[in-house]
Amino acid sequence: MRIKEVRYINIEIKENTIIHGDSLTVLRQMESESVDAIITDPPYGINYVSRAGARIKNDRSPFIWFLYDAFRVLKSGEAGRGSLICFTRWDVEQAFIDAMRMAGFNVRSEVIWDKVVHGIGDCKTQFAPTHENIIFAIKGKYSFPGHRPKDVITFSRIMGNKQMVHPTEKPVGLLSNLISSVTKPGDLILDPFAGSGSTLVAAKKTGRRFIGVELDDEYFAIAQRRIEEAVTE
């Protein structure tokens, strides 16, 4: 896959790669109106700890600070361009929605990911969690590039610590579904919180260009490897 220069000041920002660094720093150095879509799973601010003891960096409060530059770097005004897909959780969702609106986004839908198999949580005081919330927002006069997608997506979650390489990892198939719903082949997708690289792998498999950012050393290395190993479909 050809690497094409986008722009850099202190950090080299290239298409079809992942940058090892802080998302806020990288976003501030990106050109305005330079990406077609942002698809990401930021820290929710819930101090998440997996059953294996893994923690998420910067997870002490809803990480909304990227949204202002996210709005700036996002394109607008053409079909299939100017969308934000942001994973969240029910108890912090409103904080993200409010921040999106303040940044300039037009929040259009809540999408539900039906995970089929429920997680754990508090077995005595909470309903068994079988879904996750996704916010869909736009910039400018966006329109879907194809058919109108449904707001419930059923896709089995990744089961077990042996299969997961990141504590909040999302299935590549789920992300491919979302990417195909809101972008066109060849579009440029940004994931400022790339984790183990699932969004970037899905972008590559669906024929989209991508830029990812990841702060954690271990997950950055995993994402690099997964991108190199991914085969386009």
Side-chain angles (χ1 to χ4, degrees):
M1 190 174 283
R2 184 172 63 90
I3 302 296
K4 177 183 175 184
E5 193 70 23
V6 178
R7 180 188 182 216
Y8 67 92
I9 300 174
N10 297 317
I11 297 174
E12 192 172 16
I13 300 173
K14 296 179 179 179
E15 294 179 3
N16 302 327
T17 192
I18 183 169
I19 298 164
H20 189 194
D22 179 81
S23 60
L24 299 184
T25 302
V26 174
L27 278 167
R28 288 169 188 151
Q29 297 184 36
M30 293 183 67
E31 292 278 3
S32 297
E33 304 260 338
S34 60
V35 301
D36 298 302
I38 298 171
I39 299 177
T40 196
D41 186 14
Y44 299 166
I46 58 175
N47 268 327
Y48 179 85
V49 182
S50 73
R51 282 189 285 181
R55 292 181 177 271
I56 305 297
K57 286 184 179 291
N58 298 320
D59 195 28
R60 295 179 181 175
S61 60
F63 202 91
I64 59 175
W65 316 113
F66 76 101
L67 288 165
Y68 301 96
D69 274 306
F71 184 81
R72 179 184 60 80
V73 304
L74 196 59
K75 292 179 184 178
S76 62
E78 296 182 47
R81 290 180 174 170
S83 61
L84 167 68
I85 286 182
C86 182
F87 285 83
T88 183
R89 199 173 79 165
W90 66 271
D91 50 349
V92 294
E93 183 176 29
Q94 193 60 48
F96 281 96
I97 290 173
D98 292 343
M100 287 176 191
R101 288 174 173 159
M102 289 184 67
F105 286 100
N106 183 359
V107 178
R108 300 302 297 160
S109 297
E110 178 188 52
V111 180
I112 299 299
W113 168 30
D114 174 7
K115 300 190 289 186
V116 183
V117 181
H118 68 77
I120 45 175
D122 187 331
C123 297
K124 293 185 177 180
T125 64
Q126 290 181 316
F127 285 78
T130 58
H131 81 280
E132 288 193 28
N133 308 59
I134 304 167
I135 305 167
F136 173 65
I138 61 173
K139 176 181 178 179
K141 296 181 179 180
Y142 175 89
S143 61
F144 292 115
H147 69 276
R148 185 186 188 189
K150 295 180 180 179
D151 64 0
V152 177
I153 303 173
T154 301
F155 206 99
S156 294
R157 69 183 180 91
I158 300 171
M159 299 292 293
N161 292 329
K162 290 184 178 180
Q163 291 184 310
M164 296 181 72
V165 293
H166 187 280
T168 61
E169 185 179 351
K170 305 301 186 289
V172 169
L174 169 69
L175 293 161
S176 296
N177 180 305
L178 291 167
I179 287 169
S180 298
S181 295
V182 302
T183 67
K184 304 182 299 296
D187 281 352
L188 178 59
I189 293 170
L190 170 67
D191 185 354
F193 307 94
S196 60
S198 296
T199 298
L200 312 183
V201 171
K204 183 175 179 179
K205 285 179 172 290
T206 54
R208 275 68 170 173
R209 298 170 294 144
F210 57 87
I211 298 172
V213 187
E214 176 54 38
L215 182 61
D216 186 279
D217 297 348
E218 179 183 358
Y219 297 133
F220 169 76
I222 291 171
Q224 274 193 317
R225 187 190 72 244
R226 292 182 72 199
I227 292 166
E228 291 170 359
E229 293 175 350
V231 178
T232 55
E233 296 178 345

